[in-house]
Amino acid sequence: MIPVLKRPLYSLLLASLLFPACDAERRSPAPEQPDRKSSAAPQPEPEAHRAAEVTSAPKDQAASEAAQGTFALVKEGQALAVLVLPDARDPEIAAAVETFARRVKRATGAELRIVSESEEGTADSALARVRIKVAGVNGDQITNALEPESFRVRVGKGGLEIHAAAPTAEIKANLRVHSQPLVWALNSLLEQGLGARWLWPGELGTYLPERADFMVNATDTVVQPELEFRVLRLLMSRKRPTVSRDKAVNRQLEEEAIQWAVDHRMGSRSEIIFGHNFGHWWEKYSKDHPDYFAVLTPNLQQPYPKPGAVKLRLSNPAVIEQIAKEYEEAGAPRYWNVCPNDGSGFDVSPETLAWDLPRGQKPADIVQARGNLTARYVKFWNLLYERLKQINPDVELVTYAYSSYRSAPPPERPLKAKTVLQIVDAADAYDNWKGWTKGGARVFLRPNWWHQGADAPYLRYDVNNAFVRFAYDHGMLGIDMDSILGYWATQGINYYMIARLSYDKTLTDDQLLDEYTAAFGQAAPKIREYLKYWQKLSVKYNYAINAAGNTTPQNSEFQKLVKQGRIPQSILNGSKYALPHLYTDKVLAPALALLDEAAALAGDPAGDAARRVAFLRAGLDSLKATREQVVLGQKLKLDPSPERMAAFVEGRKQLEAQREAWSRDH
């Protein structure tokens, strides 16, 4: 039996290695399109193609009546339209339109000319006009009437008009991503008319089937994403700034990841801001008010586990008064963030323990986040709400249902405070979700699902997707996924499916698999078989179900390893240490054979389909390399000799060099 590493020296050596930088609308499927050898026009898409996004009919019926049949931008490889930008030199608008034109050329070979409004007269009068209108730049009455995060695509006798609401502010949790309705409008044309898809960041991950024609339905539709908050956190830059040693490569990778997120309509129109909110309290108040903070078990002392994560003594009325003071000083806004600090260190003072249900929980368990603390937090939020309501009757508390306070409130302790929650829980926590919403809380989904699996193709997309669809139907206001760790070549299908569902909940898993695998050309059936192989195996492995690692499924392969003491229970650490046990050469062999067959079907090795197959293989290469380095570290633990240390260090150098190469392609 290989033991878990415990010595600090080896743990530190492994930490930088094993947690590396990034590795490598409601709408029905787009109509079948001819390739460049055919000029057959597509059948118009059904008018209900946006059933999964908030869609409204245009008010001006004249435009609606003029919108019949299809509108052609490219026919038989020849451009039939010109793109008309506002005269204002807005770099974001220009970049969006230039990207659109570049993608059209890549798919059809046709070059759509771009002109400004004042230059329109220089364009061939025989070409149709695609006019770009953006609120705040060159918006007209139609554009300025759009709701936030909305766009309108409207076809009339004079051509195609695209009206887009103004971009929103950047989302801190998602790099520099912000809502860009103009990009979404242009992408909606590419998706409908060309079958475009964005599988992973970069050119290779951008699927643009070759077509002779680019035709879209001549409709007039206003679209707004149903969810007001859509974030898939990209950690490659903020948390891991050294994906590559080359700063220029880092910048490119970051920009490509941001573009991928924008292409998938990530963004927000919500006023609500979440985040662990009391990280400043220890430094600010501990000297004069140590009574604000949690009482710990005798073996621990504050600040625990660190100054920014110290918990509050919820039963102390002075804590509520201090929060009220900060709230009033901030102008008493409608939403006030009271999310508890992250980590362990919960209060075990007698007064706070008396708030807990069930009673009699062990103080050591409570401190280490192994108890059920929902009842104490519900009581605290109820009391705090009544106090803040005296300052602003419209106040709503913003907080988490997370860690040891994620369970739904017990019947004898209902949540009475007006509350907006982000629920951080497992993908089978249906009862918890219904319990919180039954109490009146407004809810966002904020899972940690993608911390599972490490470099491996751990694919539980069926379970995750089912919960997202359930959440849609039970009050979900938004989704904040923590996090995309950058394993695009092994877990990219997970990322892609949730990205698509975040603005199109009607898509089935089969439809999503069809979309993803279509990019592999003739190899699509084998890639689907490859993904299904890992999906089936992942059901058997069944990792821990939350980031804290406090619960794991019974009788899973992961749980067996935990019980045997071979791996840590935490999914963050356990996922890495599980690689040598769960992803052996014997397990990898069938997957590699499927990729061999896929490569043969894909054809030209230099073609995009074959290169995408190679991309998936590189993910398994990364997995094997990491797995072998984990083995070296475990051997070093058993025999900390200079020879073993030298082997470990040399292996690490080789792996870092490999990751440098892999990271350049995500």
Side-chain angles (χ1 to χ4, degrees):
M1 181 174 70
I2 303 177
V4 177
L5 290 179
K6 293 183 179 179
R7 294 187 184 181
L9 170 62
Y10 308 125
S11 298
L12 289 172
L13 283 169
L14 282 173
S16 59
L17 167 74
L18 300 183
F19 296 91
C22 294
D23 303 335
E25 341 183 25
R26 300 184 179 192
R27 163 182 304 216
S28 63
E32 288 296 323
Q33 297 288 327
D35 60 24
R36 289 184 187 170
K37 297 178 182 179
S38 170
S39 60
Q43 293 298 312
E45 192 176 10
E47 187 64 25
H49 70 286
R50 294 199 183 272
E53 289 181 290
V54 178
T55 306
S56 59
K59 294 181 180 179
D60 46 317
Q61 292 303 313
S64 180
E65 292 169 3
Q68 302 294 329
T70 57
F71 178 85
L73 289 87
V74 176
K75 185 74 171 178
E76 296 181 352
Q78 298 299 312
L80 300 183
V82 61
L83 306 172
V84 184
L85 273 65
D87 284 328
R89 298 296 180 181
D90 186 291
E92 194 164 85
I93 294 175
V97 176
E98 288 165 4
T99 298
F100 174 76
R102 185 173 67 251
R103 287 170 169 173
V104 171
K105 184 176 181 180
R106 176 177 160 186
T108 68
E111 187 162 355
L112 298 179
R113 184 182 174 191
I114 302 173
V115 299
S116 64
E117 291 171 327
S118 60
E119 298 170 336
E120 184 180 345
T122 66
D124 187 343
S125 60
L127 297 176
R129 269 44 177 175
V130 178
R131 294 185 173 86
I132 309 297
K133 305 285 185 180
V134 179
V137 179
N138 68 332
D140 53 14
Q141 185 176 0
I142 294 174
T143 312
N144 295 331
L146 290 171
E147 295 292 327
E149 292 200 306
S150 295
F151 65 84
R152 180 175 182 176
V153 178
R154 131 184 225 267
V155 177
K157 292 180 180 179
L160 180 67
E161 288 187 0
I162 295 175
H163 304 267
T168 63
E170 295 173 1
I171 303 173
K172 182 179 179 182
N174 204 24
L175 294 176
R176 298 198 309 276
V177 174
H178 59 279
S179 305
Q180 296 189 44
L182 175 58
V183 174
W184 306 343
L186 295 169
N187 281 356
S188 73
L189 302 179
L190 295 172
E191 291 171 348
Q192 180 196 144
L194 296 175
R197 299 286 180 255
W198 293 273
L199 309 184
W200 57 79
E203 288 298 305
L204 185 61
T206 301
Y207 176 48
L208 290 163
E210 291 187 353
R211 299 285 188 256
D213 299 344
F214 179 17
M215 306 179 74
V216 297
N217 296 318
T219 58
D220 186 354
T221 314
V222 179
V223 177
Q224 182 187 53
E226 181 175 336
L227 299 179
E228 65 182 56
F229 189 89
R230 304 161 314 286
V231 172
L232 308 183
R233 299 190 187 188
L234 302 167
L235 294 189
M236 61 178 298
S237 178
R238 287 195 310 115
K239 298 291 182 66
R240 293 174 169 84
T242 53
V243 175
S244 167
R245 293 185 178 88
D246 187 325
K247 292 183 179 179
V249 171
N250 276 332
R251 286 193 297 271
Q252 178 184 341
L253 294 172
E254 180 181 327
E255 292 301 325
E256 289 174 350
I258 291 170
Q259 182 66 56
W260 178 89
V262 170
D263 285 333
H264 279 288
R265 307 187 196 184
M266 295 298 108
S268 172
R269 59 182 183 273
S270 176
E271 304 174 53
I272 305 167
I273 299 175
F274 293 90
H276 303 290
N277 198 47
F278 296 98
H280 65 290
W281 269 48
W282 179 261
E283 182 178 350
K284 189 173 183 179
Y285 300 125
S286 61
K287 182 177 180 180
D288 296 328
H289 298 284
D291 57 305
Y292 286 1
F293 303 99
V295 173
L296 304 174
T297 49
N299 60 315
L300 301 173
Q301 61 181 8
Q302 297 287 20
Y304 179 84
K306 58 184 179 180
V310 172
K311 304 299 182 294
L312 304 182
R313 194 179 310 179
L314 302 184
S315 58
N316 183 357
V319 169
I320 288 179
E321 288 305 312
Q322 187 59 54
I323 294 174
K325 181 180 178 182
E326 290 191 353
Y327 174 68
E328 195 163 19
E329 289 173 349
R334 176 181 174 185
Y335 300 108
W336 192 244
N337 182 359
V338 293
C339 299
N341 289 339
D342 204 2
S344 55
F346 291 93
D347 182 29
V348 292
S349 66
E351 296 80 8
T352 303
L353 288 175
W355 287 9
D356 288 334
L357 298 172
R359 304 190 187 282
Q361 299 179 59
K362 295 179 180 179
D365 288 341
I366 288 174
V367 168
Q368 298 301 332
R370 293 192 295 266
N372 183 342
L373 305 186
T374 296
R376 70 162 62 174
Y377 272 98
V378 167
K379 181 166 184 173
F380 176 71
W381 294 330
N382 288 343
L383 291 171
L384 179 60
Y385 171 71
E386 291 300 324
R387 178 66 181 90
L388 298 189
K389 193 169 67 170
Q390 296 172 8
I391 304 170
N392 178 0
D394 297 324
V395 67
E396 292 187 54
L397 302 184
V398 176
T399 189
Y400 289 142
Y402 183 35
S403 184
S404 53
Y405 49 95
R406 69 180 181 275
S407 298
E412 59 269 44
R413 185 70 56 77
L415 179 65
K416 298 178 180 179
K418 289 180 67 175
T419 309
V420 184
L421 285 165
Q422 278 195 345
I423 296 179
V424 189
D425 211 334
D428 61 356
Y430 294 95
D431 289 341
N432 272 356
W433 184 280
K434 289 187 285 189
W436 285 110
T437 55
K438 181 180 179 181
R442 298 197 293 143
V443 288
F444 289 72
L445 178 62
R446 216 291 283 162
N448 287 324
W449 299 335
W450 292 339
H451 288 291
Q452 301 177 357
D455 306 52
Y458 183 72
L459 309 182
R460 295 306 309 274
Y461 54 77
D462 52 339
V463 175
N464 296 343
N465 296 350
F467 193 89
V468 169
R469 295 184 185 102
F470 160 83
Y472 259 112
D473 294 334
H474 291 81
M476 177 169 63
L477 299 176
I479 184 169
D480 180 3
M481 180 69 78
D482 187 359
S483 293
I484 290 182
L485 301 181
Y487 302 120
W488 298 96
T490 52
Q491 297 186 33
I493 186 65
N494 292 338
Y495 309 156
Y496 176 80
M497 285 187 166
I498 296 297
R500 290 285 280 129
L501 287 173
S502 71
Y503 64 96
D504 191 346
K505 72 180 181 185
T506 66
L507 290 167
T508 66
D509 288 354
D510 279 341
Q511 288 173 320
L512 291 166
L513 282 170
D514 285 344
E515 287 184 358
Y516 190 87
T517 57
F520 295 84
Q522 296 299 313
K526 282 297 171 186
I527 297 303
R528 189 184 181 99
E529 191 176 343
Y530 170 83
L531 295 172
K532 285 289 189 179
Y533 171 78
W534 289 119
Q535 187 269 338
K536 184 177 180 180
L537 204 59
S538 299
V539 173
K540 180 180 177 182
Y541 289 172
N542 208 359
Y543 284 35
I545 62 175
N546 68 75
N550 296 331
T551 56
T552 52
Q554 299 300 313
N555 302 318
S556 73
E557 294 301 310
F558 185 93
Q559 175 71 349
K560 290 177 183 177
L561 291 171
V562 171
K563 288 182 176 179
Q564 294 167 2
R566 296 188 179 191
I567 64 172
Q569 180 163 290
S570 164
I571 57 173
L572 297 172
N573 295 312
S575 290
K576 289 290 184 181
Y577 289 110
L579 294 179
H581 304 285
L582 301 182
Y583 295 91
T584 62
D585 286 344
K586 183 178 180 180
V587 168
L588 291 175
L592 291 168
L594 288 169
L595 291 183
D596 287 340
E597 295 178 60
L601 292 170
D604 181 6
D608 284 349
R611 291 172 61 213
R612 290 184 181 114
V613 175
F615 178 83
L616 298 185
R617 182 180 286 278
L620 297 188
D621 290 340
S622 172
L623 161 61
K624 289 192 291 184
T626 302
R627 180 194 68 186
E628 295 312 306
Q629 190 64 8
V630 170
V631 171
L632 286 175
Q634 292 172 326
K635 289 180 178 179
L636 183 62
K637 164 64 179 174
L638 294 173
D639 176 17
S641 65
E643 293 77 16
R644 286 282 172 86
M645 177 63 78
F648 178 83
V649 172
E650 180 58 29
R652 173 178 172 172
K653 289 179 180 178
Q654 293 178 10
L655 181 55
E656 287 176 343
Q658 289 173 307
R659 283 186 172 146
E660 173 72 22
W662 287 322
S663 293
R664 290 170 181 260
D665 294 319
H666 299 279

